[in-house]
Amino acid sequence: MVKQTETAVLLSNVVKRFGRVVANDKVSLEVRRGEILALLGENGSGKTTLMNMLSGIYYPDEGQIFVNGQEVRIGSPKDAFSLGIGMIHQHFKLVDVLTAAENIILGLPGKAKINRAALAGEIREISQKYGFRVDPNKKIYNMSVSEKQTVEIIKVLYRGADILILDEPTAVLTPQETDRLFDVLRKMKADNKAIIIITHKMHEVLSVSDRVAILRKGQVVGTVETKDANRQNLTEMMVGHAVSLKINRPQPAENGQEALKIEGLTCLNSDGIKALDNVSFTLRSGEIMGVAGIAGSGQKELCEAITGLCPVQQGAICLSRPEGENLNIVGLTPTEIIRSGISMAFVPEDRLGMGLVASMDIVDNTMLKSYKIGKGPFLDRKTPRALAKDIVGSLEIVTPGLNAPVRLLSGGNVQKVLLGREIASKPMVLIAAYPVRGLDINSSYRIYDLLNEQKKKGVAVLYIGEDLDVLLELCDWIIVLCGGRVSGILDASQATKEEIGLKMTHIDALKEADL
Amino acid sequence: MRPLASQPDNSRKEPFIRITKRADISRRNAALIRSAAVVLALFTGALLIITLGHNPFYVYADMLKGALGTKTVFKETVKTAVPLLSAAIAVALAFRMRFWNIGAEGQILAGAMGAAYFALFQYKSMPHWLLLIVMCIAAIVAGGIWGLIPAFFKAKWDTNETLFTLMLNYIALGIEQYLQNGPWKNPRSGFPKISMFTAEAKLPKLFGVHIGWVLAILLAAAAYIYLTHSKQGFETAVVGESTNTARYAGMNVSKIIIRTMFISGAIAGITGFMQVSGSDFTLTENTAGGVGFTAITVAWLSKLNPIIMIFVSFALAILEKGANRIQTTFKIPASAAEVLTGVILFFMLGCEFFINYRLVFKGRKERSNG
Amino acid sequence: MDKLINLLYAAVLAGTPLLFGTLGEILTEKSGNLNLGVEGMMFMGGVAGLAGAFYYEKFVTAPSGALAVLIAVICAFFSGAFGALIYSFLTVTMRANQNVTGLALTIFGAGFGNFFGEVMANTTASGYAGVGNKIKDAFLGISIPGLSSIPFFGKLLFNYNILVYLGVIIAAAMAYLLNKTRAGLNLRAVGENPATADAAGINVTLFKYIATCVGGGICGIGGMYVVMVTCSGIWVHNCINGMGWIAVALVIFATWNPSRALLGSLVFGGLSILRLYLPLGIPMQIYGTLPYAATVVVLVATSIRQSREHRIPQSCGYNYFREER
């Protein structure tokens, strides 16, 4: 088994800084042929930066890189290709309006005129070898996420890469699609390619990799054989101290009143396509309802329909009011909803593009939804300033000051400003869309705690999530969306991940089970 | 296995210059960089002057003399600065909303036409002060409507406002030319010209310049307060940053776009009123005369701050008056002012880079802070 | 029938500068640069083209018409490209705001054109800068023996000045480049998604510079056409008069497609001279605003009919920095 130990890439004391931030601090790492190396680390631990230096996106400030035993300088993605290094980025690097084939040959040398027939043949050949299914002439914007990923992988293989880097490849896949991807990776490994997979999902590390390198705060804190590793010790290395992985789940309030009742909700998205189709469910006070589904299954429209931002085609959205009867808010604008006495808070997915104003300071952002309060044409900044101070203090937000633009804050602190403001409005219904996306573990757990506190206070929480493990541990109920339709509503204490995964892709398989 | 033939050239060293983002920069340093940019722009202008065979020091000195040298020319310079300032305030309001209103030119003309109607045909029916107020209101309404049209389409269908507002400039000009050649033509003149206003329709003077200068400074102060301390100004800024956020915050985005553009057009309209009533005393096709475009420069160079605009508009007025002067003394075409304005803009745009980023040269270690 | 032919003939002549401007801007926008300075670059190209022919005539005893045309084209191209180079340097290298840089280029270019136009005029005894009849004639229609005398089609197809044919050739070449070649594919990728292009090993900066500068050069030829053909080889103050801006709007009308730019410029060229052929009893000044009003209609119509395929390159208007985090 000589091949098993053949070194493909060797990084030695690599350093990369961004301004004052040291993203990678003297990182040394070895990648071998015929193995799958998992690069494990929290968000912000420097995994992606490190790999971007291998793929030529960034240039290291210090240190050496060896490929096939020779020291190399990777100054551009082109250099990386010619060394056989190919990276599949987390956010796909594909051009939407071009076809799969066009994307695959992007930037490659060759005859000035493109020979489309020959190209399609070559792509078919690669597809057959590894078991992909792809139509070379399909435009990217017509493709599903997993098809796009396939194109990305073929693109890298077409360039003759034998060192493949995959950045969080499973983040947007269903469990079934993930399994298929892992099969492909194993085939490539058998083909003696070196594969690096960046991830922070423990079970994937354990199921697919041969070795694990753990990064923390820009440094490699250890490399272990996967067969010697387990969930707990990997997590501890990753976070740096012992953490409880269990999210505590307080008992939901008994006989909580109906806070939000949705019946037969149908909405169109901005392209005029049906994004929600006959969705019905009930959310009670003092419980957390999780929403699971592949990205783009109607989660965004659901949140925005409830908050009055997305026009409703059909159906009813009834919200309870502290005084007075329940109110169907369909057709009302956000301002009218607020005026009607409904207190609802919404933490949108796009924090800096929707929830906050990136270039404004914390004070101005605190008054974003309440600036109209008070008489006269002028703003009152005193009350928001006091509230901002409060939020910064109680949520331990790290900021240069109340007058610093929020775009200068880190992701976790940005989210705390947003969630802090929303909770401060003392809502009866709280909608949180992907509230921990991009946050490190400690910040994520702080957010879970905040949501649980709200639940205990009797708030009805709708949690849109992507990590099924978290959904299962945090929520009381899980509603699964598939192509805009509800494919199941499950009791989170009994459901399994596989069950949810299946419902995320198949709507018919559960007719008898739940509906 | 891949052949090793395509190994990259290992002799290539790390890039000579790398660019890193500055964490922040002191106000003093930013001001220094911007001043250096102006100096470099003037230096570039000097090179141009040299190639034309003149001594740049004499030419620049003559420009200053032509703009500030005597009481008379100083008054003229102020008179030039007034429309620049008020039009800059107008476009700045729209720019704060990231609405690229480059139609101030047309909005000025629209306002001027509105005011001119009353000045030409209704001057007998009301007292002096009332006529001026009515003219001003007519200018506000006409300019406002001219600004509101593209805003309506922007709000409804996201129609590109840059080109829309621009096309409206040419349409406004066409209407003005029609009035000048047809219905409003002075019947006693052989040329297609509109009659001069009577004394009732002229703005009074303060310190030798029509009181438009007071009005413009008041507008600057009001705009400053509006943008930083009013609820409407806050809404404008939020919409400019992200319409999604604005909708999320419960704002009526369409209403805000239309309202802001009405105000922007109205202020441009007031500019037109001041031009016909205070400066030209008639309506011509040159009433706007490029002010709407130069105002964009003023607004941008002032970073949309109305108070700074007071100084920048005065500086550009000096440039323009100075260029007129050197046309007569040195036979350098007055378009030199535009060239120089363009060059100054180029340098100001370029210098922002050094305010936002820092260059790291090869071999030099990065300092630990910016 | 004759009237129609005359109208179409005149529409082609009036539409050609718009065609150059539109093609130049399509190429520019395909690289993700929204250069609003077309007007300025046309001014720059116009004055440089005139200067080239003007000084050539001045220094040569027996000037050749064909050579004068060639010199004018080259001078106009490089002058327009120079304006675009300033733009590229500021937006690509110095990362300045594209909108404002384009406006600055318009101000600068207009000043540049008028300034040097007048400087040239100051050197002549007559007080205006113009070329002699021989060179003027070289910019008039060529007649191809045989072909030009075919009834109907002869005048309509084979009787224009050489620049009209140059415009059509550039349009065809651009259509081929963008749709059939690797370079065109890479350019489209740069304009759509520069981060992707960069990761695929395409030199984004180089593509942006080249496309923008060549695009600017093509706009410059359009400006030269205005001076040498429309104004008969004499510098007229503010001669471009908004044509560059109409070209920017025509890019939207043409849906970033060079072949459709041919149609668009023909229609708009027709609108601008229609009042001479089809008096509708509308006052002349109002009739003159027709192309601008039509542009507005086009803008509104295209914004209402949003299509996935035919729209502005996605990154257009935004600068790309690789190391931005």
Side-chain angles (χ1 to χ4, degrees):
Chain A
M1 297 295 281
V2 184
K3 275 185 176 171
Q4 285 289 332
T5 55
E6 193 186 327
T7 301
V9 178
L10 190 69
L11 297 171
S12 168
N13 290 318
V14 169
V15 178
K16 178 73 193 171
R17 299 184 200 90
F18 293 102
R20 282 177 230 184
V21 184
V22 183
N24 285 134
D25 190 7
K26 295 205 178 219
V27 171
S28 297
L29 189 70
E30 185 198 6
V31 189
R32 298 169 194 156
R33 294 202 179 281
E35 76 159 5
I36 298 177
L37 173 77
L39 205 54
L40 183 67
E42 290 189 56
N43 284 303
S45 61
K47 298 166 294 189
T48 305
T49 305
L50 186 64
M51 289 302 112
N52 276 339
M53 284 189 278
L54 272 186
S55 62
I57 301 278
Y58 298 149
Y59 191 84
D61 294 330
E62 286 170 34
Q64 295 162 292
I65 299 175
F66 298 86
V67 174
N68 299 325
Q70 275 184 302
E71 185 175 356
V72 293
R73 291 183 183 278
I74 308 173
S76 71
K78 223 174 194 158
D79 291 352
F81 294 144
S82 52
L83 289 164
I85 299 171
M87 181 151 172
I88 290 112
H89 295 268
Q90 183 181 6
H91 304 290
F92 298 139
K93 306 247 174 193
L94 296 170
V95 181
D96 271 351
V97 297
L98 301 183
T99 64
E102 285 173 331
N103 268 288
I104 287 165
I105 59 157
L106 214 55
L108 288 182
K111 277 219 186 88
K113 190 173 186 300
I114 301 164
N115 183 344
R116 287 177 196 272
L119 178 60
E122 287 172 289
I123 292 169
R124 234 169 277 129
E125 199 176 302
I126 295 176
S127 304
Q128 270 159 16
K129 185 168 172 192
Y130 296 103
F132 298 117
R133 251 171 293 156
V134 70
D135 171 7
N137 295 321
K138 194 168 177 182
K139 298 255 169 148
I140 300 297
Y141 63 75
N142 287 326
M143 290 185 173
S144 71
V145 178
S146 119
E147 276 178 292
K148 287 181 194 173
Q149 190 177 57
T150 307
V151 175
E152 278 281 24
I153 298 173
I154 296 177
K155 185 167 134 189
V156 166
L157 292 173
Y158 184 84
R159 276 148 220 256
D162 51 11
I163 300 163
L164 281 90
I165 306 163
L166 296 99
D167 188 1
E168 310 253 0
T170 61
V172 288
L173 302 184
T174 63
Q176 288 75 15
E177 286 169 339
T178 302
D179 287 343
R180 231 176 301 145
L181 172 70
F182 286 173
D183 281 343
V184 169
L185 293 186
R186 290 190 190 100
K187 268 187 202 160
M188 291 182 189
K189 173 177 139 185
D191 203 24
N192 206 32
K193 293 189 186 300
I195 294 159
I196 306 169
I197 158 168
I198 304 177
T199 181
H200 59 241
K201 293 186 186 167
M202 224 59 72
H203 61 96
E204 290 176 359
V205 172
L206 295 171
S207 74
V208 79
S209 72
D210 300 301
R211 281 191 311 140
V212 195
I214 298 107
L215 251 76
R216 188 171 74 222
K217 290 184 178 156
Q219 292 176 315
V220 172
V221 290
T223 310
V224 291
E225 298 282 325
T226 306
K227 59 182 190 301
D228 305 328
N230 63 43
R231 235 181 119 121
Q232 192 64 34
N233 68 16
L234 286 179
T235 308
E236 275 166 28
M237 283 174 87
M238 183 162 102
V239 184
H241 52 86
V243 287
S244 153
L245 281 173
K246 199 91 191 95
I247 304 169
N248 85 76
R249 174 162 48 198
Q251 273 301 308
E254 297 218 350
N255 304 324
Q257 60 155 331
E258 285 181 5
L260 167 71
K261 191 174 169 72
I262 291 181
E263 274 173 64
L265 183 66
T266 301
C267 295
L268 304 184
N269 66 10
S270 48
D271 294 329
I273 297 158
K274 217 182 246 187
L276 288 178
D277 187 0
N278 199 16
V279 169
S280 304
F281 65 90
T282 302
L283 174 61
R284 292 170 187 279
S285 295
E287 66 179 23
I288 299 182
M289 165 94 74
V291 178
I294 308 171
S297 298
Q299 294 96 325
K300 185 166 167 264
E301 289 76 10
L302 178 64
C303 297
E304 297 191 357
I306 299 173
T307 47
L309 296 170
C310 174
V312 171
Q313 289 291 109
Q314 255 181 349
I317 303 168
C318 293
L319 280 146
S320 69
R321 283 190 284 186
E323 56 255 14
E325 290 168 25
N326 289 5
L327 182 72
N328 181 1
I329 56 127
V330 166
L332 300 186
T333 65
T335 321
E336 289 165 339
I337 296 173
I338 295 167
R339 277 205 208 114
S340 71
I342 287 167
S343 62
M344 182 163 44
F346 176 28
V347 177
E349 173 182 356
D350 187 357
R351 288 161 211 157
L352 288 177
M354 187 168 198
L356 298 169
V357 182
S359 66
M360 290 187 179
D361 62 20
I362 300 181
V363 177
D364 280 11
N365 271 297
T366 308
M367 67 177 182
L368 186 60
K369 284 168 118 178
S370 55
Y371 71 97
K372 278 183 193 150
I373 293 172
K375 285 217 169 85
F378 294 107
L379 296 165
D380 161 33
R381 281 199 172 87
K382 264 190 213 138
T383 328
R385 175 168 289 274
L387 179 59
K389 219 170 176 177
D390 227 39
I391 295 173
V392 167
S394 63
L395 297 186
E396 296 155 346
I397 293 168
V398 183
T399 164
L402 288 179
N403 293 99
V406 291
R407 72 181 147 82
L408 294 181
L409 307 187
S410 73
N413 287 310
V414 165
Q415 183 65 305
K416 282 183 194 166
V417 172
L418 177 51
L419 194 59
R421 180 190 72 205
E422 291 304 297
I423 289 174
S425 71
K426 301 203 172 56
M428 292 192 60
V429 176
L430 170 64
I431 301 164
Y434 309 107
V436 298
R437 183 182 281 174
L439 304 194
D440 59 43
I441 283 210
N442 285 320
S443 301
S444 301
Y445 276 72
R446 184 83 181 91
I447 303 290
Y448 302 143
D449 288 345
L450 285 169
L451 293 176
N452 272 328
E453 274 169 34
Q454 292 299 304
K455 170 181 169 183
K456 278 189 251 173
K457 280 186 187 160
V459 176
V461 181
L462 190 66
Y463 175 94
I464 322 292
E466 45 199 347
D467 189 330
L468 296 185
D469 292 304
V470 171
L471 277 166
L472 282 169
E473 285 181 41
L474 176 71
C475 304
D476 302 303
W477 298 92
I478 293 174
I479 172 165
V480 189
L481 288 179
C482 171
R485 293 162 72 185
V486 176
S487 59
I489 300 180
L490 312 169
D491 183 340
S493 58
Q494 276 148 40
T496 65
K497 238 164 61 181
E498 287 64 33
E499 204 179 336
I500 299 175
L502 206 64
K503 287 185 196 292
M504 280 161 72
T505 46
H506 298 280
I507 193 113
D508 298 316
L510 39 114
K511 275 268 150 69
E512 67 278 29
D514 287 276
L515 294 178
Chain B
M1 289 274 4
R2 286 183 55 82
L4 289 170
S6 53
Q7 277 279 342
D9 178 8
N10 278 356
S11 64
R12 210 177 78 195
K13 294 289 180 246
E14 92 179 78
F16 182 65
I17 302 176
R18 281 179 307 110
I19 296 158
T20 55
K21 198 152 189 163
R22 277 183 203 272
D24 48 43
I25 184 165
S26 69
R27 271 176 184 225
R28 209 181 115 245
N29 283 348
L32 269 176
I33 290 175
R34 294 204 176 99
S35 319
V38 175
V39 172
L40 278 173
L42 292 177
F43 180 74
T44 311
L47 292 180
L48 183 68
I49 295 168
I50 291 169
T51 55
L52 292 175
H54 300 289
N55 181 329
F57 290 104
Y58 292 153
V59 173
Y60 279 140
D62 197 51
M63 282 178 90
L64 280 179
K65 220 160 98 192
L68 307 170
T70 65
K71 226 172 179 176
T72 322
V73 293
F74 180 78
K75 282 178 194 164
E76 282 302 308
T77 307
V78 173
K79 230 166 104 182
T80 311
V82 168
L84 282 181
L85 174 56
S86 61
I89 295 165
V91 297
L93 277 172
F95 282 12
R96 178 59 74 94
M97 198 173 65
R98 306 251 170 98
F99 186 103
W100 299 101
N101 176 18
I102 56 175
E105 195 83 356
Q107 292 145 17
I108 291 170
L109 261 183
M113 285 188 273
Y117 170 77
F118 288 93
L120 292 169
F121 304 108
Q122 303 294 332
Y123 66 93
K124 283 182 197 139
S125 57
M126 51 188 115
H128 180 54
W129 61 271
L130 184 62
L131 177 65
L132 287 179
I133 291 174
V134 169
M135 282 168 68
C136 186
I137 291 171
I140 287 174
V141 172
I145 289 174
W146 214 243
L148 188 136
I149 298 167
F152 171 79
F153 287 96
K154 173 80 177 179
K156 192 119 175 102
W157 290 294
D158 199 22
T159 307
N160 182 313
E161 76 279 9
T162 315
L163 293 167
F164 202 137
T165 51
L166 191 96
M167 292 302 129
L168 286 181
N169 289 344
Y170 296 107
I171 294 173
L173 189 63
I175 296 172
E176 194 283 333
Q177 287 168 337
Y178 162 65
L179 293 174
Q180 190 177 330
N181 282 277
W184 290 11
K185 180 174 175 287
N186 180 356
R188 280 183 297 275
S189 164
F191 296 101
K193 268 167 73 175
I194 293 171
S195 320
M196 294 300 275
F197 292 179
T198 55
E200 285 86 357
K202 291 182 185 174
L203 276 179
K205 289 184 177 179
L206 185 66
F207 301 127
V209 184
H210 67 85
I211 57 158
W213 70 269
V214 184
L215 199 57
I217 289 176
L218 288 178
L219 270 176
Y224 179 78
I225 294 169
Y226 181 82
L227 286 173
T228 49
H229 292 294
S230 81
K231 291 175 181 174
Q232 293 193 355
F234 182 69
E235 290 174 336
T236 306
V238 173
V239 169
E241 184 78 23
S242 152
T243 50
N244 259 339
T245 308
R247 271 162 22 90
Y248 166 82
M251 296 174 186
N252 184 339
V253 175
S254 301
K255 191 180 109 188
I256 294 165
I257 291 178
I258 291 172
R259 177 186 71 208
T260 308
M261 265 313 286
F262 180 83
I263 299 173
S264 175
I267 296 175
I270 292 176
T271 311
F273 159 64
M274 294 193 300
Q275 282 305 86
V276 292
S277 178
S279 172
D280 302 345
F281 307 128
T282 184
L283 175 69
T284 71
E285 50 191 352
N286 287 322
T287 294
V291 163
F293 290 109
T294 316
I296 296 168
T297 321
V298 174
W300 181 259
L301 290 177
S302 317
K303 302 262 135 207
L304 306 187
N305 181 332
I307 304 302
I308 297 177
M309 284 177 209
I310 299 174
F311 303 99
V312 174
S313 57
F314 192 67
L316 286 193
I318 292 176
L319 201 62
E320 200 178 316
K321 284 289 143 199
N324 284 340
R325 162 80 169 221
I326 58 173
Q327 180 158 33
T328 42
T329 33
F330 293 94
K331 279 202 142 192
I332 297 173
S335 316
E338 281 174 76
V339 177
L340 206 51
T341 309
V343 171
I344 291 175
L345 263 177
F346 287 152
F347 276 95
M348 293 302 282
L349 283 163
C351 85
E352 291 299 308
F353 176 82
F354 296 99
I355 292 172
N356 295 323
Y357 300 91
R358 198 149 40 85
L359 298 179
V360 181
F361 291 93
K362 178 181 151 186
R364 273 245 295 263
K365 289 273 182 261
E366 248 175 78
R367 277 170 303 145
S368 57
N369 67 59
Chain C
M1 200 64 197
D2 265 2
K3 209 172 174 185
L4 181 68
I5 293 178
N6 284 338
L7 173 64
L8 282 173
Y9 182 77
V12 170
L13 287 181
T16 303
L18 296 176
L19 176 64
F20 280 109
T22 309
L23 290 176
E25 184 64 6
I26 288 177
L27 193 63
T28 306
E29 290 190 18
K30 279 286 178 188
S31 77
N33 276 345
L34 183 69
N35 187 352
L36 293 178
V38 177
E39 178 93 356
M41 296 185 294
M42 285 178 77
F43 265 110
M44 294 173 77
V47 80
L50 175 65
F54 179 77
Y55 286 108
Y56 166 70
E57 187 185 41
K58 211 167 169 185
F59 292 120
V60 176
T61 41
S64 131
L67 196 56
V69 173
L70 186 66
I71 288 172
V73 168
I74 291 171
C75 289
F77 180 86
F78 280 102
S79 180
F82 171 66
L85 182 68
I86 297 175
Y87 175 91
S88 309
F89 179 72
L90 285 174
T91 59
V92 180
T93 305
M94 305 302 267
R95 310 178 180 187
N97 179 298
Q98 295 193 6
N99 266 326
V100 183
T101 309
L103 290 173
L105 181 57
T106 299
I107 293 172
F108 174 80
F112 182 96
N114 289 325
F115 181 83
F116 287 106
E118 283 160 48
V119 166
M120 252 191 291
N122 285 344
T123 63
T124 62
S126 56
Y128 61 86
V131 291
N133 282 335
K134 186 166 184 206
I135 291 181
K136 219 185 281 178
D137 289 345
F139 284 91
L140 293 179
I142 46 168
S143 35
I144 306 159
L147 288 176
S148 303
S149 48
I150 304 171
F152 191 79
F153 289 110
K155 171 146 191 187
L156 208 52
L157 293 178
F158 304 110
N159 229 329
Y160 298 106
N161 63 69
I162 187 90
L163 295 175
V164 173
Y165 302 106
L166 179 66
V168 177
I169 291 168
I170 292 176
M174 262 174 62
Y176 180 80
L177 174 87
L178 289 173
N179 297 321
K180 302 279 181 201
T181 67
R182 275 176 202 270
L185 178 66
N186 292 349
L187 176 64
R188 279 156 70 203
V190 167
E192 289 288 341
N193 192 335
T196 295
D198 192 13
I202 298 169
N203 189 336
V204 173
T205 306
L206 188 68
F207 265 89
K208 280 189 167 235
Y209 262 92
I210 290 179
T212 308
C213 289
V214 173
I218 296 172
C219 293
I221 298 176
M224 185 271 282
Y225 183 101
V226 175
V227 178
M228 300 310 288
V229 180
T230 316
C231 302
S232 315
I234 294 168
W235 183 262
V236 177
H237 191 78
N238 277 340
C239 54
I240 305 299
N241 195 26
M243 248 181 270
W245 289 105
I246 294 186
V248 174
L250 265 177
V251 173
I252 301 174
F253 179 80
T255 59
W256 293 267
N257 178 340
S259 323
R260 284 193 62 178
L262 288 170
L263 177 71
S265 48
L266 182 68
V267 170
F268 275 69
L271 286 177
S272 66
I273 46 98
L274 195 60
R275 67 192 146 107
L276 303 176
Y277 294 83
L278 195 67
L280 290 174
I282 308 170
M284 205 179 67
Q285 295 82 12
I286 303 291
Y287 216 143
T289 62
L290 210 54
Y292 308 107
T295 307
V296 167
V297 173
V298 165
L299 281 175
V300 173
T302 46
S303 65
I304 293 173
R305 177 185 57 88
Q306 293 263 347
S307 107
R308 175 102 210 184
E309 197 80 23
H310 307 291
R311 64 179 175 197
I312 187 161
Q314 218 168 15
S315 83
C316 209
Y318 304 97
N319 295 330
Y320 171 66
F321 330 123
R322 181 190 285 176
E323 299 230 352
E324 193 93 305
R325 297 214 317 164

